[in-house]
Amino acid sequence: MRIHHLRNATMVIETKDKFILVDPMLGKKGTAGPTFTLFRFKPQRNPILDLPDNAMEIVNKTTHCLITHLHPDHLDKEAEKFLKAKNIPVICSFKDKKTLQKRGLNVIESVNYWQESNFLGGTIEGIPAKHGYGFVAKPMGNVMGFYIKMPNEKTIYLSADTIYTKDVDKVLKEYKPDINVVACGTAQLDVFKPLLMTMEDILKFTKNATGTVIANHLEAVNHCPTTRTQLTSDLKKHGLMGKTRIPNDGQVIEIE
């Protein structure tokens, strides 16, 4: 298995002859929508940087697409155009199925929480995700993580945009995924509590994961203050860097 990290939460999971695009934000710098904060962090239109030069080479090989939720930094207009033009099979939460079908996407599978669905000869299971601490999680809407098992491949947990919850804890400790992808940008709006895990919970996630941890959702949208440098420093302080990968945009991670 190879994991191509592209930008923010956008990645491609390459396995044999399949190329699984995850949460595609494919537009150029500044085209995914207005700034997410005006006061807490510097206002900038998102994404705040372009895709790496090699991104579309791998994106154009896409055979399937996984979408965890409908925020524009996980599915932008350019990505919708791409998915429709190539009629890419889409897998999503059962709560997002109708919306994506109305947008013209080819939804072939909708996944429910804690239920296995068929996926590329294996299974995919929906994992609850909570997009924020306290009140803010409700207006942030539906989010679904995915636990994926494919024949002769490592198991992978895409935790999606979430804080640390009992559900996340259950997957890490009971399912023991080989690969665990976690959003580490600690996103915040101008008001309310953070939308993603605090550093304390990122460290907790990493400590409780038995497999490799891959950090994403970093340095691509203006409301995510955590940097790769800061994350690396904190992980090293707690002796957790050895099990963690913090890829740069465009980097490929080889999974043995």
Side-chain angles (χ1 to χ4, degrees), residues 11-226:
M11 58 192 286
V12 174
I13 303 168
E14 177 184 349
T15 167
K16 299 183 178 66
D17 60 338
K18 300 295 188 292
F19 293 82
I20 306 160
L21 177 63
V22 180
D23 283 351
M25 178 174 61
L26 303 181
K28 294 181 179 180
K29 178 180 177 180
T31 60
T35 181
F36 292 139
T37 65
L38 293 172
F39 312 111
R40 190 187 293 271
F41 307 116
K42 179 182 177 181
Q44 301 177 79
R45 289 184 63 84
N46 293 297
I48 60 175
L49 76 173
D50 282 316
L51 282 168
D53 292 339
N54 63 341
M56 290 311 296
E57 180 180 349
I58 190 68
V59 169
N60 283 325
K61 296 180 180 180
T62 298
T63 59
H64 299 78
C65 179
L66 290 176
I67 298 173
T68 65
H69 64 300
L70 305 183
H71 290 170
D73 60 327
H74 293 256
L75 178 68
D76 64 2
K77 295 298 182 183
E78 194 64 28
E80 288 189 24
K81 285 170 56 180
F82 170 81
L83 295 172
K84 287 189 285 187
K86 290 185 172 285
N87 198 35
I88 300 294
V90 171
I91 299 91
C92 66
S93 165
F94 73 103
K95 293 187 175 182
D96 295 331
K97 177 180 178 179
K98 289 184 178 179
T99 299
L100 292 176
Q101 287 178 327
K102 286 180 180 178
R103 295 184 187 180
L105 272 61
N106 177 25
V107 178
I108 63 162
E109 186 75 57
S110 60
V111 183
N112 208 337
Y113 296 115
W114 302 118
Q115 294 182 16
E116 291 185 343
S117 298
N118 294 328
F119 183 66
L120 302 181
T123 60
I124 184 169
E125 182 174 346
I127 307 299
K130 186 177 181 183
H131 202 337
Y133 295 88
F135 169 79
V136 73
K138 187 171 183 179
M140 292 305 290
N142 304 315
V143 185
M144 179 179 280
F146 297 115
Y147 176 69
I148 302 167
K149 295 186 292 185
M150 291 181 287
N152 304 312
E153 293 288 359
K154 301 289 189 181
T155 56
I156 183 166
Y157 173 36
L158 305 174
S159 60
D161 280 13
T162 189
I163 62 173
Y164 199 101
T165 65
K166 290 182 179 179
D167 296 315
V168 171
D169 192 74
K170 175 182 176 179
V171 174
L172 294 177
K173 293 179 178 178
E174 295 183 17
Y175 289 32
K176 301 183 185 301
D178 298 308
I179 305 161
N180 305 269
V181 181
V182 58
C184 293
T186 321
Q188 299 177 70
L189 302 176
D190 284 325
V191 293
F192 305 120
K193 295 179 180 180
L195 309 177
L196 299 173
M197 292 184 201
T198 60
M199 185 60 71
E200 179 182 358
D201 279 345
I202 294 169
L203 295 172
K204 182 178 179 181
F205 183 104
T206 306
K207 181 180 178 180
N208 288 335
T210 54
T212 300
V213 174
I214 298 176
N216 70 1
H217 217 304
L218 292 162
E219 301 180 32
V221 285
N222 85 297
H223 65 320
C224 287
T226 302

